[in-house]
Amino acid sequence: MDEKKITVKSPANIAFIKYWGQKDEKEIIPYNDSFSMNLSHCFTMVTVELQEDAVIQELYIKDYKSTVFERSTGESLKRVIDFYSKVRSLLDAKAVFGFRIYSENSFPKKAGIASSASFFSGLTRAFLKGFGMELPERQISILARLSGSGSACRSIPDGFCWWKKGKNSATSYAETIAPPDFWALRDIVLILSSREKTVSSQEGHRYAKTSPFFFPRLKGIARRTESIRRAFFRKDLEEFGAILEQETISLHTVMMTQSPPLYYWSGKTIETIKKIVQFRKKGIPHYFTIDAGENIHIICEKKDEKRIAEYYKNQPEVEEILINYPVVGSRILS
Ligand code: DP6
């Protein structure tokens, strides 16, 4: 039996304009474009051991700060098996292989730092390699989107990535709009708690439309998206940050008013938001954004990174901080 081992390093990404709600649940087509940055220090190492013609299908996860891989069953394994079958059928691949997957995160999972995006983007590349397929980046991004973790499509290209909502599966993919060195932005992740969230984004998307604010949000999003894009290319952090925060509040307004409601924020989240607003008044530009979790991402420029990190590291609400700069997308290492 032939055995092959593939290792992929894949970044998580932070969305500046968020994906929330699916126009087509089966094909994972979003209602709006989204825009993100790949993160240097929040990544997943995915190693896949393949055995040709074998039936083995196993998943092992090493959690953040853990020293051992633990076997994962249940929903996580099911998602992986479903994705394997999907990739195989979409590629019309003849090969069959069994797999043992080892996934290791450099950050807490299921805490609003896109761990499924980094995992599934990495797995997409590994499965493709396993099937012996080389595809253009756009096709790889489409496959990653179809993993179910839609934002995984934004972890395939390099740097700052734009996911065009598209009209159908073939036109909904992410691409680089600027390389990692275009703008020395930092994402300082404030870990307020590494508790795992109880409701996944997948479930959240399903009920997004039940919020009375979902369609009003979409009405304003095209303008917001265009404005943030312009601010980004002008490197106007003040304008960029103001839109970033509006977008975050808009997303969480929908989340909190959908049915059933999603209250991702904790008391620590709101305490920290207030501190950001206050500390910014000292003339240090930095802005918050929050995904599906209670932890906060602070976006600032490299020149202010040290002062900001120093201040928040010492706040009682903050367990630890992770500092990220923009990086390339997922890569096969070996
Ligand atoms: C709020 O369905 O891509 O982070 O599977 O949890 O990674 P995961 O999420 P996905 O939804 C992401 C939702 C979001 C916004 C965003 O990243 O655009």
Side-chain angles (χ1 to χ4, degrees):
M1 213 177 283
D2 260 3
E3 203 172 299
K4 201 153 68 173
K5 191 161 145 180
I6 301 155
T7 298
V8 184
K9 181 177 177 182
S10 211
N13 63 73
I14 179 65
F16 302 137
I17 293 288
K18 318 284 189 183
Y19 145 57
W20 197 246
Q22 296 159 344
K23 203 162 194 173
D24 183 331
E25 280 184 26
K26 203 168 145 272
E27 301 281 359
I28 324 282
I29 311 287
Y31 274 93
N32 59 279
D33 286 14
S34 55
F35 167 34
S36 62
M37 169 180 125
N38 287 333
L39 306 179
S40 60
H41 282 73
C42 295
F43 59 86
T44 303
M45 299 291 290
V46 185
T47 297
V48 183
E49 289 175 5
L50 304 176
Q51 281 183 13
E52 272 173 35
D53 300 321
V55 287
I56 190 164
Q57 293 183 318
E58 293 173 6
L59 171 65
Y60 296 86
I61 297 176
K62 194 202 270 184
D63 277 330
Y64 180 52
K65 290 190 177 161
S66 164
T67 50
V68 285
F69 280 99
E70 284 187 44
R71 187 154 177 193
S72 187
T73 51
E75 191 49 33
S76 310
L77 178 64
K78 185 179 173 300
R79 279 187 74 183
V80 164
I81 294 172
D82 289 350
F83 187 48
Y84 164 81
S85 307
K86 196 179 236 180
V87 174
R88 188 165 177 273
S89 99
L90 285 170
L91 296 176
D92 210 8
K94 300 288 170 273
V96 179
F97 57 76
F99 51 79
R100 248 188 219 109
I101 298 167
Y102 296 89
S103 167
E104 195 175 343
N105 273 344
S106 71
F107 60 104
K109 72 174 182 341
K110 297 187 183 165
I113 320 175
S115 55
S116 29
S118 52
F119 173 70
F120 277 105
S121 51
L123 194 61
T124 305
R125 287 213 187 261
F127 278 165
L128 276 174
K129 186 87 184 157
F131 286 118
M133 300 274 185
E134 295 219 357
L135 294 180
E137 186 181 89
R138 180 182 298 189
Q139 301 301 333
I140 304 175
S141 176
I142 289 173
L143 279 180
R145 191 198 82 235
L146 289 165
S147 68
S149 169
S151 59
C153 74
R154 297 190 311 240
S155 288
I156 298 290
D158 293 348
F160 297 92
C161 302
W162 198 274
W163 175 7
K164 296 196 238 183
K165 62 179 188 262
K167 286 195 165 56
N168 49 36
S169 190
T171 51
S172 185
Y173 57 87
E175 61 188 9
T176 298
I177 61 159
D181 62 359
F182 172 73
W183 192 4
L185 282 184
R186 294 292 178 266
D187 172 8
I188 304 179
V189 185
L190 308 182
I191 309 280
L192 307 178
S193 162
S194 41
R195 233 186 340 241
E196 290 187 13
K197 62 189 173 201
T198 49
V199 184
S200 69
S201 306
Q202 283 222 318
E203 217 177 311
H205 290 295
R206 196 165 308 136
Y207 300 107
K209 270 180 289 191
T210 61
S211 163
F213 299 105
F214 181 73
F215 288 103
R217 163 176 156 77
L218 282 186
K219 245 180 136 184
I221 210 161
R223 191 147 38 104
R224 192 151 61 232
T225 305
E226 196 34 50
S227 307
I228 206 168
R229 188 188 177 110
R230 262 189 270 124
F232 173 77
F233 282 110
R234 281 201 315 268
K235 299 185 188 166
D236 178 345
L237 185 62
E238 209 177 313
E239 174 72 8
F240 185 86
I243 304 168
L244 182 72
E245 291 187 353
Q246 283 163 16
E247 169 62 3
T248 305
I249 302 300
S250 156
L251 171 78
H252 285 269
T253 303
V254 169
M255 288 170 161
M256 289 186 211
T257 51
Q258 59 186 69
S259 184
L262 286 174
Y263 303 115
Y264 283 122
W265 295 5
S266 66
K268 289 179 178 183
T269 312
I270 192 78
E271 276 308 309
T272 309
I273 289 177
K274 287 181 185 172
K275 283 188 181 169
I276 293 170
V277 173
Q278 279 308 319
F279 192 50
R280 193 157 64 212
K281 288 187 184 148
K282 293 197 186 305
I284 308 162
H286 61 296
Y287 301 87
F288 65 85
T289 183
I290 306 164
D291 277 350
E294 70 179 286
N295 297 313
I296 295 193
H297 297 249
I298 289 185
I299 305 298
C300 64
E301 283 180 316
K302 181 183 174 199
K303 65 180 175 51
D304 298 315
E305 170 196 319
K306 284 211 171 66
R307 276 182 77 189
I308 295 170
E310 201 52 43
Y311 175 75
Y312 289 99
K313 205 164 64 187
N314 293 314
Q315 298 305 314
E317 296 83 19
V318 178
E319 282 181 10
E320 68 173 303
I321 62 169
L322 303 169
I323 304 180
N324 295 282
Y325 51 84
V327 284
V328 294
S330 75
R331 289 281 193 277
I332 294 179
L333 298 185
S334 60

